[in-house]
């Protein structure tokens, strides 16, 4: 199955190249020496455009296979469930519109799953703000998932990604 995933990632990169010129800097520095902690890697990009997660995931997939955390309304988008399953995506409830106890419980469950997986060495792609950047500065608001995750996973390697 892993071979199929690489072919799909390569195909996605080829499609992206038709529209965007992507220049990657610093990927070669992410090796055992640069990632010295025992846990998995938390890739934390900024989020200026809707296409960013696709580009970042396609670039990182070959070497790191990070599992993306995706807000539910994108995760359950009709026709894309197979892709979400393929990359091991995990849905997170959208707390912007309405924070409910049920949604908070679901976030806590996913938090516990991610923390355990990072401790085992799994890699994740998480957008810390959880939404698009609409101004010159990234607005975090009340998004505390990553902050809490860093406290719960002291062995996690953190890689900041600028797009």
């Amino acid at each position: 199955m892993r071979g199929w995933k690489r072919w799909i990632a390569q195909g996605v990169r080829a499609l992206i190249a038709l529209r965007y010129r992507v220049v990657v800097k610093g990927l070669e520095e992410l090796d055992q020496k640069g990632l010295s902690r025992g846990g998995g890697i938390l890739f934390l990009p900024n989020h200026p455009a809707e296409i960013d997660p696709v580009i970042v995931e396609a670039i990182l997939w070959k070497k790191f296979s990070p599992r993306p955390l995706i807000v539910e309304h994108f995760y359950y988008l009709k026709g894309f469930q197979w892709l979400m399953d393929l990359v091991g995506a995990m849905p997170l409830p959208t707390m912007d519109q309405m924070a409910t106890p049920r949604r908070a419980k679901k976030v806590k469950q996913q938090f516990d799953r991610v923390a355990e997986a990072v401790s085992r060495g799994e890699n994740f792609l998480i957008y810390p703000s959880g939404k698009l950047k609409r101004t010159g500065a990234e607005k975090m608001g009340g998004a505390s998932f990553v902050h809490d995750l860093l406290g719960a996973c002291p062995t996690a390697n953190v890689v900041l990604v600028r797009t």
Side-chain angles (χ1 to χ4, degrees), residues 2 41-43 56-69 86-89 122-126:
R2 188 138 169 99
I41 306 168
L42 296 175
F43 292 98
V56 173
E57 182 75 19
I59 289 168
L60 295 175
W61 185 261
K62 185 176 182 181
K63 190 171 181 180
F64 302 103
S65 303
R67 296 180 65 186
L69 264 63
L86 183 74
V87 297
E122 288 188 44
N123 304 326
F124 284 87
L125 174 63
I126 305 173

Side-chain angles (χ1 to χ4, degrees), residues 29-152:
E29 295 175 30
L30 298 178
D31 57 13
Q32 289 304 104
K33 190 171 78 174
L35 303 168
S36 58
R37 295 182 173 185
I41 306 168
L42 296 175
F43 292 98
L44 307 175
N46 63 334
H47 200 355
E50 292 283 0
I51 192 69
D52 297 333
V54 176
I55 293 172
V56 173
E57 182 75 19
I59 289 168
L60 295 175
W61 185 261
K62 185 176 182 181
K63 190 171 181 180
F64 302 103
S65 303
R67 296 180 65 186
L69 264 63
I70 301 175
V71 290
E72 281 182 333
H73 62 272
F74 283 118
Y75 181 84
Y76 294 114
L77 200 61
K78 197 169 191 161
F80 288 96
Q81 192 63 52
W82 66 273
L83 184 59
M84 299 298 142
D85 293 339
L86 183 74
V87 297
M90 294 174 67
L92 274 179
T94 306
M95 299 296 273
D96 283 349
Q97 289 91 12
M98 184 184 344
T100 65
R102 183 174 117 0
R103 287 182 178 185
K105 182 179 178 183
K106 217 168 177 188
V107 169
K108 175 68 171 122
Q109 289 171 341
Q110 291 297 57
F111 177 88
D112 292 342
R113 288 179 64 199
V114 171
E116 181 184 327
V118 168
S119 297
R120 284 193 318 264
E122 288 188 44
N123 304 326
F124 284 87
L125 174 63
I126 305 173
Y127 287 82
S129 67
K131 59 185 176 249
L132 286 177
K133 180 175 97 169
R134 303 227 185 259
T135 63
E138 191 97 26
K139 303 282 185 193
M140 297 300 290
S144 60
F145 191 94
V146 171
H147 177 268
D148 295 343
L149 189 60
L150 292 174

Side-chain angles (χ1 to χ4, degrees), residues 4-18 58:
W4 283 104
K5 289 180 182 181
R6 285 189 183 204
W7 278 100
I8 290 173
Q10 191 171 357
V12 169
R13 283 191 299 273
L15 288 173
I16 290 168
L18 294 174

